[in-house]
């Protein structure tokens, strides 16, 4: 299904007068409004291929209708989202879920929709039917070298697949760990994991990075081999310059101060980027900004100030990706909401009065510091984000356009009502 440009502008016409009033307000109340609009428009957020279908839980999965059945259809869905918001110009593939069988066709389809390929993800947390050895007791950390070799080979194959489409990074997320005290030897497990990672690292092309994602729990509930940023950072430091730590917002223990982790990793040049989602309890993978938008804003405050200090390009120098998938919303509407939530948090962080914040910090004045932060957080930056979309040719109101176009009904007509996209 294609989104015609004329349809977007007709839909925008319905709201343009109101939008202009709201944007006028922003222009008179927010400093450097135009340059913020430009930054927001340049900021692109990667869509993970596994979020295009309905996510499941360990209790089951309620597959949605009209889900993409093939890699080309997944690319089409991301193309649709990008046409509407002009803010999600890349897709992240997961292997073996997304095997690239016909690379020229895949590349051509992506180019025609203005999409690029972001980091590729390996999967050694599930057994595949064709696989001789099981990951039940781990992959890169497994006690049996043959299992470790199989997992290393899969990661190297994932890199090869990524090269076919022009990806530049491998994201490694391991479910390795243990469910019971005494089950594994922590030190040997760490050493084996490092050894396996070194083999993967050696296979990395010179212009690629390796992102090491950590997670405190699940599916192993007593210990996780890459359990937090500290382990990830240790692995990444031992591996070398191309290895970096990836932060997934849902992978921490409750109440962890994620913004502080981000600030320090970035200062050390070891932050790869993000998997955005939101959560109430654990790795809930809920829509970005749906539970704790203030935390998201605080994370962006550290990112923006840290990147500015190091003269980094906001849009290009870190990996920005959504990693959410759950059971109740239409996945495409959910992704539109997540993209917008990220843009809002980014725009709010851009309007923080950095100098006033710095002065408050130097004067030991927590009251003033809070005033500065919350003045930005409580400012309605939605007209700025809408203006960024409009200038890039996207919709003023993405969800409203999506619904008025009957996207899901059209996809069901094309693909059928009994479809199941690969993913969790
Ligand atoms: C994990 C982790 C990874 C993702 C898988 C599907 O919890 O967040 O990034 O690849 O889920
Ligand atoms: Mn993740
Ligand atoms: Mn996760």
């Amino acid at each position: 299904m294609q989104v015609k440009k004329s349809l977007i502008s007709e839909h925008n016409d319905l709201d343009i007068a109101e939008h202009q009033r709201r944007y006028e307000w922003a222009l008179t109340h927010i400093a450097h409004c135009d340059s913020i609009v430009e930054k927001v428009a340049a900021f692109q957020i990667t869509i993970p291929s596994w979020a295009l279908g309905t996510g499941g839980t360990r209790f089951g999965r309620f597959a949605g209708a009209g889900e993409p059945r093939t890699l080309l259809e997944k690319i089409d869905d991301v193309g649709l989202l990008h046409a509407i918001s002009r803010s999600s110009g890349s897709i992240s593939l997961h292997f073996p879920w997304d095997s690239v069988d016909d690379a020229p066709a895949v590349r051509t389809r992506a180019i025609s929709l203005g999409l690029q390929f972001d980091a590729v993800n390996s999967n050694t947390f599930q057994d595949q039917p064709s696989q001789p050895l099981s990951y039940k007791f781990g992959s890169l950390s497994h006690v049996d070298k043959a299992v470790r070799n199989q997992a290393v080979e899969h990661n190297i194959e994932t890199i090869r697949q990524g090269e076919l489409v022009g990806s530049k990074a491998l994201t490694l997320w391991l479910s390795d760990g243990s469910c019971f005290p005494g089950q594994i030897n922590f030190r040997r497990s760490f050493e084996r994991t490092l050894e396996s990672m070194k083999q993967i690292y050696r296979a990395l092309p010179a212009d690629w990075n390796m992102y090491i994602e950590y997670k405190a729990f699940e599916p192993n509930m007593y210990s996780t081999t890459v359990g937090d940023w500290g382990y990830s950072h240790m692995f990444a430091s031992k591996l070398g310059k191309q290895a970096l730590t990836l932060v997934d917002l849902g992978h921490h223990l409750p109440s962890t101060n994620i913004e502080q982790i981000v600030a320090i990793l970035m200062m050390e040049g070891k932050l790869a980027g993000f998997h955005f989602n939101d959560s109430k309890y654990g790795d809930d993978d809920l829509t970005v900004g749906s539970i704790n938008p203030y935390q998201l804003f605080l994370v962006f405050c550290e990112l923006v100030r840290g990147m500015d200090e190091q003269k980094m390009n906001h849009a290009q120098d870190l990996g920005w990706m959504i990693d959410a998938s759950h059971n109740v919303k239409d996945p495409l509407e959910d992704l539109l909401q997540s993209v917008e939530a990220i843009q809002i948090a980014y725009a709010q962080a851009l309007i923080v009065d950095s100098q006033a914040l710095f002065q408050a910090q130097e004067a030991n004045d927590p009251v003033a510091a809070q005033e500065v932060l919350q003045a930005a957080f409580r400012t309605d930056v939605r007209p700025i984000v809408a203006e960024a979309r409009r200038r890039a040719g996207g919709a003023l109101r993405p969800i409203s356009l999506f619904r008025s176009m009957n996207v899901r009904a059209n996809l069901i007509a094309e693909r059928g009502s009994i479809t199941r996209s690969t993913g969790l």
Side-chain angles (χ1 to χ4, degrees):
M1 178 185 182
Q2 299 277 337
V3 192
K4 286 207 194 81
K5 284 204 172 106
S6 56
L7 205 76
I8 298 181
S9 58
E10 274 164 35
H11 195 262
N12 283 352
D13 285 346
L14 302 173
D15 294 302
I16 194 73
E18 173 63 11
H19 168 69
Q20 266 157 2
R21 269 194 298 279
R22 285 158 55 85
Y23 188 62
E24 276 301 316
W25 182 93
L27 273 176
T28 50
H29 290 82
I30 300 172
H32 316 298
C33 217
D34 260 340
S35 89
I36 296 171
V37 168
E38 274 164 35
K39 284 184 182 158
V40 173
F43 200 80
Q44 296 291 314
I45 298 136
T46 300
I47 305 292
S49 72
W50 60 101
L52 299 162
T54 319
T57 71
R58 65 198 171 100
F59 296 102
R61 184 176 195 250
F62 305 95
E67 289 186 0
R69 298 159 297 181
T70 61
L71 177 53
L72 289 178
E73 287 183 354
K74 290 179 189 181
I75 294 171
D76 286 345
D77 279 11
V78 179
L80 244 162
L81 295 174
H82 189 45
I84 294 174
S85 77
R86 306 305 305 160
S87 312
S88 50
S90 51
I91 176 168
S92 178
L93 306 187
H94 217 305
F95 295 94
W97 294 336
D98 293 319
S99 183
V100 182
D101 301 324
D102 184 352
V106 167
R107 282 198 306 262
T108 309
R109 183 72 62 93
I111 290 168
S112 74
L113 298 166
L115 303 179
Q116 294 179 345
F117 291 90
D118 200 347
V120 284
N121 303 261
S122 57
N123 179 344
T124 59
F125 48 87
Q126 291 174 326
D127 285 347
Q128 307 302 329
S130 58
Q131 161 191 331
L133 303 167
S134 173
Y135 296 132
K136 178 172 179 180
F137 291 105
S139 60
L140 295 186
S141 73
H142 200 283
V143 288
D144 181 352
K145 189 161 177 38
V147 179
R148 299 202 297 279
N149 285 343
Q150 176 182 287
V152 167
E153 265 317 306
H154 167 68
N155 274 280
I156 294 174
E157 172 59 19
T158 299
I159 296 172
R160 290 205 184 102
Q161 296 264 334
E163 284 185 291
L164 293 176
V165 292
S167 290
K168 292 286 175 225
L170 167 73
T171 297
L172 199 70
W173 174 68
L174 301 181
S175 65
D176 295 38
S178 62
C179 278
F180 298 98
Q183 183 187 327
I184 60 167
N185 180 313
F186 297 138
R187 281 163 290 133
R188 297 295 91 79
S189 175
F190 184 95
E191 284 167 349
R192 288 192 295 261
T193 305
L194 178 61
E195 210 33 60
S196 306
M197 283 185 183
K198 280 183 179 164
Q199 293 179 49
I200 300 167
Y201 190 82
R202 280 197 287 272
L204 214 58
D207 59 346
W208 274 52
N209 286 323
M210 182 163 148
Y211 298 169
I212 303 173
E213 183 175 358
Y214 58 86
K215 181 170 177 176
F217 52 88
E218 196 199 36
N220 276 299
M221 292 305 192
Y222 172 65
S223 75
T224 301
T225 305
V226 191
D228 65 16
W229 71 271
Y231 297 106
S232 167
H233 184 58
M234 263 196 277
F235 285 121
S237 307
K238 287 175 192 290
L239 289 171
K241 267 176 51 188
Q242 288 166 262
L244 303 161
T245 294
L246 182 97
V247 178
D248 181 312
L249 291 179
H251 287 193
H252 304 84
L253 295 175
S255 309
T256 300
N257 187 330
I258 303 172
E259 51 272 26
Q260 186 178 10
I261 296 173
V262 169
I264 305 304
L265 281 176
M266 198 165 51
M267 186 175 75
E268 293 294 298
K270 276 300 204 185
L271 180 66
F274 273 85
H275 281 183
F276 292 107
N277 47 52
D278 212 340
S279 56
K280 179 111 180 111
Y281 301 106
D283 190 24
D284 306 351
D285 279 337
L286 300 176
T287 319
V288 183
S290 60
I291 305 279
N292 196 348
Y294 194 49
Q295 180 189 55
L296 184 66
F297 161 74
L298 294 174
V299 164
F300 264 103
C301 287
E302 295 303 332
L303 288 170
V304 163
R305 251 142 294 287
M307 287 189 292
D308 285 348
E309 253 177 53
Q310 300 189 33
K311 310 235 171 318
M312 287 164 73
N313 180 312
H314 293 188
Q316 281 162 20
D317 291 350
L318 291 176
W320 309 112
M321 193 177 115
I322 293 171
D323 185 5
S325 83
H326 52 81
N327 354 344
V328 293
K329 291 179 180 170
D330 181 303
L332 295 178
E333 292 190 348
D334 172 54
L335 287 161
L336 288 172
Q337 285 186 318
S338 278
V339 166
E340 180 152 41
I342 293 169
Q343 292 174 307
I344 289 173
Y346 175 48
Q348 286 175 325
L350 288 172
I351 65 170
V352 168
D353 184 343
S354 299
Q355 214 169 345
L357 183 61
F358 181 69
Q359 277 164 7
Q361 290 167 345
E362 293 294 300
N364 294 317
D365 189 347
V367 170
Q370 179 178 323
E371 292 293 309
V372 171
L373 287 181
Q374 295 196 348
F377 180 66
R378 291 183 171 139
T379 301
D380 187 358
V381 295
R382 287 174 301 175
I384 293 184
V385 172
E387 178 64 11
R389 271 196 306 267
R390 190 193 66 78
R391 286 190 199 172
L396 284 172
R397 295 203 294 140
I399 299 280
S400 157
L401 173 65
F402 182 90
R403 291 197 168 183
S404 76
M405 282 166 49
N406 290 318
V407 173
R408 187 54 64 186
N410 280 304
L411 292 177
I412 293 172
E414 264 174 41
R415 300 170 182 172
S417 53
I418 306 172
T419 55
R420 196 193 158 104
S421 187
T422 46
L424 289 175

